[in-house]
Amino acid sequence: STSPARLASSPSPGKRKHLNIEESLQLVLDSSDNFGRAFYDEFFIRHPKMFGYFEGVDMTRQSLMLTMALTTIVHHYANPSVAIDHYLQHLGTMHHRREIPPELYPKWSDTMLRVLGKYLGEDWDEELAGEWRKALEKASHTLVRGYDRPVGI
């Protein structure tokens, strides 16, 4: 199957344009594939014990929420705002209520980086991976703040 990145217009031969995090997110969102489902399939294969945290969860809805969360994570990284910060803290509060330990976030992030790399194919490079890693770490730290102080919306 063709990765979403290969569907994008190509720069002149021999010179590939480096994607930034926002452009790579757009490729994921524009793809007709179900990125969220692909992520959770990989996550549960790599970390089968995590499935217990999703007992009774509508995974179709959860997959959609994941893509919305990715949009929020990228905006939090590239264009921070008080509203996005507050929303991510609220997500942290919700995760805390579901008893999801923050120690699991690195496993989630590692799986996300792996799936993004598969999805973006030849457009995935160390620079883009570094941007995503920083964005995921920043979002994780913000989520954890919602564990310490409950935040509602």
Side-chain angles (χ1 to χ4, degrees):
S1 124
T2 303
S3 77
R6 292 190 191 111
L7 300 176
S9 59
S10 300
S12 58
K15 186 173 183 178
R16 222 174 34 143
K17 179 184 178 292
H18 166 74
L19 293 180
N20 67 34
I21 192 170
E22 292 164 309
E23 292 165 330
S24 68
L25 172 66
Q26 195 58 54
L27 288 173
V28 169
L29 296 176
D30 288 347
S31 168
S32 62
D33 295 336
N34 188 334
F35 180 84
R37 174 49 75 190
F39 168 79
Y40 283 111
D41 288 348
E42 180 81 14
F43 187 58
F44 295 141
I45 288 168
R46 294 172 58 79
H47 307 288
K49 291 180 181 177
M50 300 302 113
F51 193 74
Y53 291 104
F54 293 86
E55 185 119 357
V57 172
D58 176 346
M59 291 309 293
T60 300
R61 182 175 183 271
Q62 184 66 28
S63 296
L64 176 61
M65 290 176 61
L66 176 75
T67 55
M68 293 185 326
L70 283 181
T71 301
T72 303
I73 289 166
V74 168
H75 285 291
H76 182 62
Y77 173 74
N79 305 297
S81 74
V82 173
I84 292 173
D85 196 77
H86 187 83
Y87 177 70
L88 286 172
Q89 287 181 58
H90 170 70
L91 284 181
T93 298
M94 301 308 292
H95 282 88
H96 184 61
R97 287 182 185 154
R98 288 191 66 85
E99 300 181 358
I100 298 170
E103 297 78 30
L104 298 182
Y105 290 160
K107 291 178 181 180
W108 186 93
S109 293
D110 289 346
T111 304
M112 180 57 68
L113 292 169
R114 175 184 283 271
V115 174
L116 283 165
K118 286 179 182 178
Y119 238 70
L120 294 168
E122 63 189 31
D123 288 313
W124 185 253
D125 57 26
E126 282 305 310
E127 190 174 342
L128 184 56
E131 276 190 275
W132 273 102
R133 190 173 295 107
K134 288 176 192 171
L136 294 170
E137 287 171 1
K138 181 178 180 181
S140 292
H141 291 305
T142 305
L143 278 148
V144 170
R145 291 200 330 259
Y147 280 60
D148 300 332
R149 181 179 60 91
V151 174
I153 53 172

